[in-house]
Amino acid sequence: MHFPVVAPVRTVTLALTGASGMPYAIRLLSCLLKADITVWLLYSQAAQIVAQQESQWHLPANAGQCTEVLCQQFQTTPQKLHVFGRDEWFAPPASGSNPADAMIICPASMGAIAAIAAGTSDHLLERAADVSIKENRPLIVVPRETPLSAIHLQNLLKLAQLGVCILPPVAGFYHHPQTIDDMVDFVVARILDQLHIPHTLMPRWGADQLSDH
Ligand SMILES: Cc1cc2nc3c(=O)[nH]c(=O)nc-3n(C[C@H](O)[C@H](O)[C@H](O)COP(=O)(O)O)c2cc1C
């Protein structure tokens, strides 16, 4: 069973790890900010490499500098979008006394899934996930690997049994996607739906039936 959503969600910890799928992260970040959600952004070193490699998205190593760059890129303020560094143990998501309303790990590497399933809390990203689990806050992971080994499946099952929402970035075709953006939006819509965050990324299933009546 998933953790209940504390409605409405106002703050989200968004964590990026070194799996393929940065277009999902970029679109998700943009949608969260558009929905007026405050975002605390965390990313691993491997995420920086993947972001650069597949989306030419430069995430500076220094968190303060990254906050500045991203606020400019997404036309927002450090109050709404704040990056925390790997070892910033005084950051809000490090403590059960001040976690975000929800946490999303997108994309989630198999390494990150393993570390979180093992509860290592070695750096802020892992600790924030550990805090989400112990505080029964909604945690969504968007794991990306294929094929999945028994190790991956066991770790994912462990997290699912702890109440974590496992949301693989699996494309649907029933909305007849025409572009890569359409396919990205499909997954991002599913993530936002989990947290009841409003969006207009794609029409709702059956909505055209209702408008005819
Ligand atoms: C370009 C690139 C793509 C990668 N894609 C994946 C992937 O899809 N899934 C995965 O589990 N690991 C992938 N990896 C490997 C992880 O980045 C690596 O295991 C890393 O240690 C994960 O660290 P992190 O969980 O701290 O981000 C990729 C690495 C690179 C450089």
Side-chain angles (χ1 to χ4, degrees):
M1 204 174 67
H2 296 170
F3 297 133
V5 172
V6 181
V9 170
R10 294 186 210 282
T11 48
V12 166
T13 298
L14 174 60
L16 323 177
T17 64
S20 184
M22 286 302 157
Y24 299 119
I26 295 169
R27 186 68 163 148
L28 180 58
L29 176 54
S30 162
C31 289
L32 289 171
L33 293 169
K34 197 171 159 202
D36 204 27
I37 306 291
T38 297
V39 179
W40 296 334
L41 188 72
L42 316 176
Y43 50 81
S44 68
Q45 240 175 353
Q48 285 177 274
I49 296 168
V50 179
Q52 185 68 52
Q53 194 272 336
E54 65 182 18
S55 293
Q56 297 82 51
W57 191 27
H58 178 61
L59 298 170
N62 177 280
Q65 205 185 335
C66 192
T67 299
E68 222 173 281
V69 167
L70 292 184
C71 283
Q72 208 162 31
Q73 186 181 343
F74 289 89
Q75 294 288 292
T76 189
T77 63
Q79 284 70 40
K80 295 303 292 183
L81 171 57
H82 201 96
V83 181
F84 292 104
R86 179 187 158 89
D87 297 313
E88 271 194 63
W89 298 113
F90 292 97
S95 168
S97 66
N98 197 13
D101 295 330
M103 178 169 180
I104 310 168
I105 308 179
C106 175
S109 74
M110 292 305 112
I113 296 288
I116 294 162
T120 47
S121 292
D122 212 23
H123 49 77
L124 182 60
L125 193 157
E126 291 174 8
R127 167 68 180 163
D130 200 56
V131 165
S132 296
I133 294 169
K134 85 181 174 77
E135 298 296 334
N136 291 347
R137 296 288 170 119
L139 171 59
I140 300 171
V141 299
V142 183
R144 195 274 150 197
E145 189 47 276
T146 194
L148 292 164
S149 74
I151 296 172
H152 303 149
L153 291 167
Q154 277 172 355
N155 286 330
L156 288 167
L157 177 62
K158 186 169 178 186
L159 292 183
Q161 286 172 335
L162 289 167
V164 175
C165 171
I166 312 296
L167 199 154
V170 177
F173 292 93
Y174 55 80
H175 66 307
H176 306 296
Q178 301 298 307
T179 63
I180 292 176
D181 285 348
D182 290 345
M183 298 179 79
V184 168
D185 282 356
F186 177 87
V187 171
V188 172
R190 298 284 77 75
I191 299 169
L192 296 171
D193 285 349
Q194 281 295 317
L195 299 176
H196 309 299
I197 294 173
H199 66 83
T200 53
L201 291 174
M202 52 183 289
R204 302 268 168 195
W205 182 256
D208 53 342
Q209 301 290 315
L210 291 174
S211 60
D212 283 349
H213 297 286

